[in-house]
Amino acid sequence: MYPIATDLKVVNNQLDSYLPIRNKNNDVNWQFVTSLVLSYALKRKIEPYDPDQFREDCKAHMHELLGEPAFWSVLERIYFFSQDIFSVSPLFLLFHAQFVGEKIIAGSTADKRLGTLFSNLMGDFSLTYPIQDRLNFIEQQMMNKLNEKIKLLGKGPFPEEQSYLPYMAVCFRSDLEFLAEHPQYLLQELTNTLRLYAFSWCAQLALNLDNWRDGEPQSKSLFFILDSEKVSSERDKIKSFGYKWFAGQSEKLFPILSALEVLQIKGKKKRPLWQVYQDCSSCSDTSNQVLDDINDYIQRFISKEERDLLARDRATNLESAFKQLLSVAVEQFQGKKTDRATVNRKHINELETQICADFIQVRGRAGKVLVLNQDRLLLLTNLTVGKNDKLRLHELLRGFIWITSQYKRWWRFMNVWEM
């Protein structure tokens, strides 16, 4: 199969994969996203079922079961007046994202883009159903009524993409499995875990953009401080490999990923840039044609009729052609007063506002820095310890912290703080 689209057309910059943010309309309902992810992980769904109707069904069931109608008012106050029913079991969260067939019937486009991100992190992975809750007699009866409405979810509504960051997909599946073994902790922390992964995905994607020649991406160091700490001028890692590094790399996200869209084969699963380059390099019988096609595209792209960029000689090999392609993709956004520069800046602002806001603080003369609060630090610790009943101290350190004479680093899919 030819490794790229056969007809490379110069069109307006479009982004349809890998980044869950666009230049506007990115408000996220995390309750809805959490329900969506849980549905996909369990391969289960609720088709249209109003919570008020569920309450009436429970009322009728309890009247029949207990034979004391007056007792229902007590149960109603306990479980329904304050919405505490949604704290009984993770399965009750499925109410927040309902389906008709395989189609989601609510939620914004931004919510569904995040659903696509997490579904592709999961891939073929799924959690064991039912989740093993510890419910009392009354709660189990309510769960029985809910189970009558829970149906099998098929393939799901999300487009398939090859994972850009396979190492993060491995971590995500492992963490979901751990959370599912502790249903109350899953209820408490699934949303926070998803917010953490959404930020981590965008950050690691940005940091790995330039490494497309190296094959499958690896975790990149990114330095945080605790939100209770002060920032001093001596903390070089925070300055060099913290917010500024992430912000600089995030400026390339929209340009490079929109260039990648041009190369994607219509109707096929989306591939990351590093995979497209590998596929082109391994097709020895068509490599010259691929090189010619990319060169022709670049020449059209930089022409006065299109982007009007500086002239370039045709590349003589695939690596140079890819370098040129990505270079001109970024260069078109560099005129600070142009409409394209404004569009790119909007993407960056939306990313920081909607996905990264909880991880960024302004610290006086130090400017913006990446931070973790103690709750997220505890969540990361629990996820790292995972299923282990016991860990020796050195095993715990090896699992999530490196210590050197210069700095201490949290290792998972990014590194956290500097001494």
Side-chain angles (χ1 to χ4, degrees):
M1 184 180 72
Y2 200 60
I4 60 174
T6 54
D7 185 16
L8 301 182
K9 294 181 179 180
V10 180
V11 295
N12 292 333
N13 296 289
Q14 296 179 349
L15 181 56
D16 294 322
S17 56
Y18 293 119
L19 191 67
I21 288 295
R22 302 295 182 264
N23 65 342
K24 59 183 178 180
N25 300 326
N26 292 297
D27 292 336
V28 177
N29 180 343
W30 283 102
Q31 183 184 68
F32 182 87
V33 172
T34 300
S35 177
L36 208 54
V37 171
L38 192 60
S39 280
Y40 191 84
L42 293 169
K43 299 297 183 282
R44 296 296 189 278
K45 63 181 178 179
I46 293 180
E47 297 201 335
Y49 190 32
D50 188 79
D52 290 336
Q53 182 60 53
F54 172 66
R55 182 178 60 187
E56 292 302 313
D57 291 345
C58 287
K59 179 179 179 180
H61 181 60
M62 290 302 174
H63 283 178
E64 179 182 345
L65 191 67
L66 301 177
E68 293 188 29
F71 189 56
W72 171 251
S73 62
V74 177
L75 298 180
E76 192 171 32
R77 283 198 304 273
I78 294 173
Y79 290 106
F80 291 95
F81 283 178
S82 58
Q83 302 293 304
D84 282 350
I85 189 66
F86 296 111
S87 300
V88 168
S89 165
L91 291 178
F92 286 101
L93 298 179
L94 300 184
F95 268 112
H96 299 308
Q98 299 185 17
F99 293 73
V100 172
E102 298 290 298
K103 185 178 179 181
I104 308 165
I105 60 175
S108 67
T109 303
D111 297 335
K112 294 170 185 176
R113 286 197 297 266
L114 280 166
T116 298
L117 165 61
F118 292 121
S119 70
N120 282 294
L121 277 174
M122 281 184 272
D124 295 331
F125 169 84
S126 62
L127 295 175
T128 301
Y129 179 85
I131 291 176
Q132 298 303 309
D133 293 294
R134 295 181 178 179
L135 306 179
N136 62 39
F137 173 77
I138 297 296
E139 291 166 351
Q140 187 59 59
Q141 296 305 312
M142 293 179 179
M143 177 61 71
N144 292 343
K145 293 308 293 181
L146 178 66
N147 279 331
E148 294 175 7
K149 298 294 184 177
I150 294 178
K151 308 297 182 184
L152 188 67
L153 178 66
K155 186 178 179 181
F158 306 111
E160 283 190 75
E161 300 169 354
Q162 180 183 340
S163 181
Y164 209 113
L165 306 172
Y167 65 89
M168 190 174 290
V170 172
C171 284
F172 185 63
R173 295 165 192 169
S174 174
D175 289 342
L176 280 182
E177 198 168 35
F178 164 71
L179 289 172
E181 292 180 1
H182 304 83
Q184 285 302 309
Y185 196 56
L186 175 65
L187 264 171
Q188 176 186 331
E189 294 294 350
L190 180 56
T191 298
N192 290 329
T193 300
L194 297 179
R195 293 176 78 112
L196 175 64
Y197 267 96
F199 167 75
S200 302
W201 171 270
C202 294
Q204 289 291 301
L205 183 61
L207 301 184
N208 273 287
L209 282 177
D210 296 334
N211 301 100
W212 46 270
R213 287 161 291 187
D214 302 332
E216 193 171 295
Q218 303 296 318
S219 174
K220 300 296 181 183
S221 300
L222 191 61
F223 287 82
F224 294 68
I225 62 170
L226 292 175
D227 62 353
S228 57
E229 290 185 280
K230 293 182 179 180
V231 185
S232 71
S233 59
E234 298 175 356
R235 303 180 74 169
D236 294 335
K237 298 294 182 181
I238 294 295
K239 292 193 295 183
S240 301
F241 298 103
Y243 170 79
K244 289 183 180 178
W245 187 36
F246 162 62
Q249 287 296 112
S250 66
E251 292 179 2
K252 303 177 187 178
L253 280 168
F254 178 61
I256 289 180
L257 292 178
S258 59
L260 174 61
E261 291 290 346
V262 174
L263 302 178
Q264 301 285 6
I265 301 172
K266 188 174 181 180
K268 299 293 184 181
K269 181 190 292 189
K270 296 292 180 72
R271 296 165 296 160
L273 181 59
W274 56 268
Q275 184 66 65
V276 173
Y277 177 68
Q278 280 189 347
D279 291 345
C280 291
S281 300
S282 62
C283 289
S284 56
D285 54 335
T286 59
S287 60
N288 288 335
Q289 183 61 50
V290 171
L291 178 60
D292 286 342
D293 285 349
I294 295 177
N295 270 322
D296 291 344
Y297 173 80
I298 292 171
Q299 294 304 313
R300 291 194 300 272
F301 189 88
I302 65 177
S303 68
K304 289 187 177 181
E305 293 76 19
E306 294 296 342
R307 301 302 195 265
D308 193 18
L309 303 177
L310 292 175
R312 288 166 169 78
D313 294 332
R314 294 173 70 88
T316 56
N317 56 64
L318 273 176
E319 182 178 340
S320 296
F322 270 75
K323 283 182 180 178
Q324 271 197 23
L325 175 65
L326 302 181
S327 175
V328 298
V330 172
E331 185 181 325
Q332 65 175 314
F333 292 96
Q334 289 179 341
K336 293 184 178 180
K337 295 183 180 180
T338 65
D339 291 339
R340 289 193 187 91
T342 301
V343 170
N344 195 32
R345 174 49 55 186
K346 286 180 178 178
H347 277 86
I348 298 167
N349 291 341
E350 290 291 303
L351 176 62
E352 290 199 7
T353 301
Q354 299 297 333
I355 300 295
C356 308
D358 293 340
F359 301 88
I360 298 173
Q361 286 184 2
V362 178
R363 293 294 188 88
R365 288 184 297 175
K368 292 182 178 180
V369 294
L370 297 177
V371 299
L372 282 178
N373 61 32
Q374 292 185 2
D375 290 338
R376 287 199 173 85
L377 194 60
L378 179 59
L379 173 60
L380 278 166
T381 303
N382 288 332
L383 292 175
T384 302
V385 174
K387 299 179 182 179
N388 297 289
D389 292 330
K390 297 179 181 178
L391 282 183
R392 296 182 178 90
L393 179 59
H394 73 276
E395 292 173 331
L396 179 63
L397 296 177
R398 186 171 64 240
F400 65 89
I401 299 175
W402 294 3
I403 300 178
T404 74
S405 59
Q406 295 180 333
Y407 51 89
K408 183 181 292 185
R409 300 194 295 187
W410 186 293
W411 183 86
R412 192 162 179 78
F413 31 78
M414 60 177 51
N415 301 303
V416 176
W417 75 84
E418 180 187 15
M419 293 291 285

